Amino acid sequence: MPALRTRVYIDGYNLYYGCLRKTAFKWLDVLGLFETQILPTILYRAAPEADPATMALHPDCAIKYFTAKIIESASKGEDSVSSQAHYHNALTSHCGGRLSFVMGHYSLYKANQHIVPADDPKRWPRDCDKIQVWKLEEKQSDVNLALQLYDDALSGEIDQVVLVTNDTDLAPALEMLEARCPNIVRGLVIPTRKVGAGGDLEREANVSLAKLAHWVRRHITEDELRASQLPDVVPGRRRASIKPHSWYAKPHHLATMLDMARPVLRTDGEILKWARQANAHLGGRRPIDLIETDAGAVEVFDYIDAYIRGQLDKVGDRDGLSSKS
């Protein structure tokens, strides 16, 4: 049985807030995630007695990623706009044309909203006072995704669509696909993680979406996200895309390492190049990996401090200024 020609449709907003926000996994290689981690785990049979289907991402366009550019005036971080741009450029370069972005846009406007009174939270909105607020909404992404999903299914290029979202607004698109293209396999991946000691899901698969899919993957594991990270530096046609400092697991450790090593290696680029190499003095481990934990960071800081002290002692010996003389 030939492999199902598969294309993945990612709701970028859902993926970010479901799996990546407040994690060290934002620099995510989505092509690697689905090609080597998620799709190989899916057990789908066209009929109960059939052999499990194999799945192959489309060789030309494997992933369509639906998102919108962040508006700087409404961004939560000073580097949000530049970080998103670096990430989009990194994915484009790394995936070699097998990933395409379909861009919507954000709408920012003032709106009057009802206030929920603290002393009577069940009061009807019509009986509550109003306040003017800024309202930020992502526009067109859902429509773009639905249209692309349906159009691709009609094209004859694919045998399977994999929708990555938990947004019920996309249920009508799956309903139409089921009615008009029953031969197309519909997969659903819920972008959420397990949390806490009990491994509870942050959110459950939406019933209206799940019932329209041939198979459902109900979460993405942290191990899968960790194993699917882009290189810290992704070469590009004009210039490289570099993982934003704020996207590291411990940004404050990274800042400390840069400050400590700057007297020796001078530039952040040279320091990061050194940090990405296995270091014999650190047991063959990479400093960039060690600073992801507090204990590992201490090892790196101690090594840099000892190295700099050693260099200063050598200079002092040559100049006759060593404290030992």
Side-chain angles (χ1 to χ4, degrees):
M1 182 179 178
L4 295 174
R5 297 170 299 167
T6 300
R7 186 167 289 155
V8 179
Y9 301 79
I10 296 176
D11 177 345
Y13 187 90
N14 249 254
L15 176 63
Y16 179 80
Y17 282 97
C19 281
L20 305 177
R21 180 172 170 265
K22 296 184 178 180
T23 75
F25 308 132
K26 299 185 188 76
W27 198 240
L28 181 64
D29 175 7
V30 290
L31 178 60
L33 174 67
F34 283 91
E35 194 160 47
T36 66
Q37 301 293 321
I38 293 180
L39 291 185
T41 71
I42 302 302
L43 181 62
Y44 165 70
R45 302 176 190 269
E49 69 281 0
D51 292 332
T54 55
M55 304 173 183
L57 286 176
H58 196 282
D60 296 324
C61 182
I63 292 176
K64 291 190 175 182
Y65 197 114
F66 300 82
T67 186
K69 290 185 178 180
I70 296 170
I71 296 177
E72 185 173 7
S73 61
S75 62
K76 294 184 178 180
E78 293 183 358
D79 64 343
S80 295
V81 173
S82 61
S83 295
Q84 184 192 49
H86 275 285
Y87 178 56
H88 287 180
N89 289 337
L91 275 182
T92 300
S93 298
H94 183 76
C95 296
R98 296 186 69 200
L99 177 145
S100 65
F101 285 101
V102 182
M103 304 301 292
H105 67 274
Y106 279 104
S107 174
L108 179 64
Y109 59 95
K110 296 174 183 177
N112 292 321
Q113 298 287 321
H114 293 95
I115 302 172
V116 179
D119 59 344
D120 187 11
K122 294 184 179 181
R123 187 187 304 171
W124 286 10
R126 72 181 188 188
D127 299 323
C128 297
D129 294 332
K130 287 186 176 181
I131 189 173
Q132 191 175 55
V133 300
W134 284 108
K135 194 166 184 179
L136 182 68
E137 293 182 344
E138 188 177 5
K139 298 289 188 179
Q140 294 185 351
S141 289
D142 290 349
V143 174
N144 287 340
L145 198 159
L147 290 173
Q148 293 276 337
L149 191 76
Y150 188 54
D151 188 56
D152 289 352
L154 293 174
S155 71
E157 295 181 357
I158 55 175
D159 307 305
Q160 175 175 236
V161 298
V162 177
L163 180 58
V164 184
T165 191
N166 202 29
D167 188 347
T168 57
D169 287 347
L170 291 165
L174 289 182
E175 287 176 348
M176 184 171 290
L177 206 61
E178 180 181 40
R180 301 287 186 175
C181 305
N183 58 308
I184 298 292
V185 178
R186 302 176 302 278
L188 176 65
V189 176
I190 306 301
T192 193
R193 298 174 297 135
K194 288 185 174 180
V195 295
D200 298 324
L201 294 178
E202 282 190 318
R203 53 181 176 172
E204 296 290 338
N206 190 281
V207 175
S208 62
L209 287 174
K211 71 179 183 180
L212 294 166
H214 289 97
W215 58 263
V216 180
R217 176 63 124 71
R218 297 183 179 275
H219 71 286
I220 300 173
T221 71
E222 286 201 358
D223 286 342
E224 289 168 341
L225 295 171
R226 185 177 293 107
S228 306
Q229 295 295 295
L230 293 165
D232 294 337
V233 178
V234 179
R237 289 183 179 179
R238 295 182 179 179
R239 57 182 178 181
S241 298
I242 301 173
K243 181 178 178 180
H245 291 182
S246 62
W247 285 18
Y248 282 85
K250 304 278 188 177
H252 57 291
H253 288 337
L254 177 67
T256 299
M257 181 182 74
L258 292 172
D259 286 342
M260 291 184 68
R262 212 168 275 127
V264 177
L265 295 176
R266 305 300 180 189
T267 69
D268 290 357
E270 287 299 315
I271 298 169
L272 289 171
K273 181 179 179 181
W274 163 79
R276 295 184 191 104
Q277 298 172 351
N279 191 304
H281 299 282
L282 295 168
R285 295 166 295 174
R286 301 195 314 164
I288 201 71
D289 298 325
L290 285 171
I291 62 171
E292 290 188 358
T293 67
D294 293 340
V298 170
E299 290 187 63
V300 174
F301 300 159
D302 286 348
Y303 168 69
I304 295 174
D305 184 63
Y307 179 86
I308 291 176
R309 288 178 181 274
Q311 295 302 306
L312 291 174
D313 285 344
K314 290 179 183 178
V315 172
D317 287 339
R318 287 199 304 268
D319 296 343
L321 297 175
S322 172
S323 59
K324 298 176 182 178
S325 60

